Amino acid sequence: MILRTFGWSFAVTGIGMAAAYIFWGWQGFAAVAILSVLEISLSFDNAVVNAGILKRMSPFWQRIFLTIGILIAVFGMRLIFPVAIVAVTAGVGPVEAVELALDDPDQYEQMVTDAHPSIAAFGGMFLLMIFLNFIFAERHITWLGWLERPLARLGKIDSFSVGVALSALLVSAVVMAPHAHQHGGTHADKTSTVLLAGLAGILTHLVVAGLSGYFENRLEEEEERAEKAEEAARRAGGRPSALVVTGKAAFFLFLYLEVLDASFSFDGVIGAFAITNHIFWMALGLGIGAMYVRSLTIYLVREGTLDEYRYLEHGAHYAIGALAVMLLITIRWQLPEEVTGLVGVGLIAAAFWTSVRHNRRDRAREAEDRPVVTSGV
């Protein structure tokens, strides 16, 4: 089961890690490994969401998502998007950006380093919006209840998360941007750049969230029609079929999944810039991680274990929030790559361990409450 589900992921990992070591030595090998773990940790909740929706689709549309979808996710968002970010922020064409990375890595590094404040502001605000929308939402399951419950009450205020994000952007523009780190250890005033890039990050999140909400509403309408058709079949004495979404509903599901996947891809791509500016390391690491996310989605659908580890989604979003803060800090100060790469992994591990402990307590409580059956003589 494991080999059948994760076989392609294992193969891509072997090829990718071997290429990283051959071309860039142990430094490239370590960076690609950290980026792979980062992508998997940030996208675990993506796999959970995907699996929850994918199990309601017909086998045909499941194959479409797991084939065409993986091409869009790996080659589109994880390979092309990082090059596009560098090209836009550095003011060069995509082909020129790749050529510079191959032929003149020193100049390329200088261009990327000087463009880092805008990349960090855009990515930091995008990630911060995801974290704020999660932490300010009211939910039945809380990980750090003493913190999440009061914040959920604040989240009932209209546009509160946007206000907090704009406040964080203003602080970053005032404190970080006037002394933005540049190539060679110099500093420059990047206040206007940080403000514009940060606003673009917030706007991008609002657009992606709006599209996701649109597709979700269309999905709910299609599901209501399907439920009414099932109820009519029952009343007519027919045999209701399993609620598997096909046709137009499945197409909207596919579009919805692609928008969601794109939004989660932003997390990994933008978060990768907190680890390294090397586009080929990012492409390999994020591509390997994306393969595991797809395999994990299949595994969750087949095994039906979506709710077994209840705090993993919380840990992933806390990791997103930590990365957002670190990206904003790197506008002015450099942070060790080990710190930025391992903080998210540590939060995911803490959430996983807390979930395991909770499950053990639940099983122990059920065992205590189970009545003891005695047989008479």
Side-chain angles (χ1 to χ4, degrees), residues 12-90:
V12 170
T13 301
I15 295 172
M17 299 306 295
Y21 176 74
I22 292 170
F23 288 104
W24 300 290
W26 286 112
Q27 184 180 6
F29 183 91
V32 170
I34 291 175
L35 287 168
S36 301
V37 174
L38 173 70
E39 173 69 8
I40 295 169
S41 64
L42 285 179
S43 299
F44 186 88
D45 51 347
N46 186 16
V48 173
V49 173
N50 286 352
I53 299 175
L54 197 64
K55 67 182 182 181
R56 291 146 53 193
M57 299 173 69
S58 67
F60 170 79
W61 282 99
Q62 287 183 4
R63 287 193 297 272
I64 291 293
F65 178 73
L66 296 172
T67 52
I68 296 177
I70 193 65
L71 293 176
I72 297 173
V74 174
F75 294 100
M77 294 305 300
R78 270 77 173 190
L79 300 183
I80 298 175
F81 184 61
V83 176
I85 288 180
V86 172
V88 171
T89 55

Side-chain angles (χ1 to χ4, degrees), residues 156-196:
K156 295 179 180 179
I157 302 173
D158 290 340
S159 303
F160 190 77
S161 59
V162 177
V164 173
L166 290 173
S167 300
L169 177 59
L170 182 60
V171 171
S172 300
V174 172
V175 177
M176 306 296 178
H179 308 282
H181 176 78
Q182 297 289 275
H183 183 73
T186 61
H187 293 83
D189 188 351
K190 296 282 187 175
T191 302
S192 59
T193 300
V194 167
L195 282 173
L196 288 174

Side-chain angles (χ1 to χ4, degrees), residues 101-115:
L102 290 173
D103 302 330
D104 194 350
D106 292 336
Q107 183 182 354
Y108 171 79
E109 182 182 358
Q110 179 178 348
M111 294 174 64
V112 173
T113 303
D114 292 344

Side-chain angles (χ1 to χ4, degrees), residues 1 7 9 13 57 60 132 143 154 196 199 207 209 230 240 252 270 273 275 298 303-304 328 336 344 362:
M1 174 65 183
S9 299
T13 301
M57 299 173 69
F60 170 79
L132 292 176
W143 184 27
L154 288 174
L196 288 174
L199 288 174
V207 170
E230 279 207 359
F252 281 118
I270 297 303
F273 279 102
I275 308 299
I298 299 172
E303 295 296 313
L328 296 176
D362 280 353

Side-chain angles (χ1 to χ4, degrees), residues 44-45 49 134 139 309-318:
F44 186 88
D45 51 347
V49 173
F134 177 84
R139 57 191 73 255
Y309 303 107
R310 55 192 290 159
Y311 300 125
L312 278 175
E313 185 179 6
H314 295 74
H317 280 86
Y318 278 102

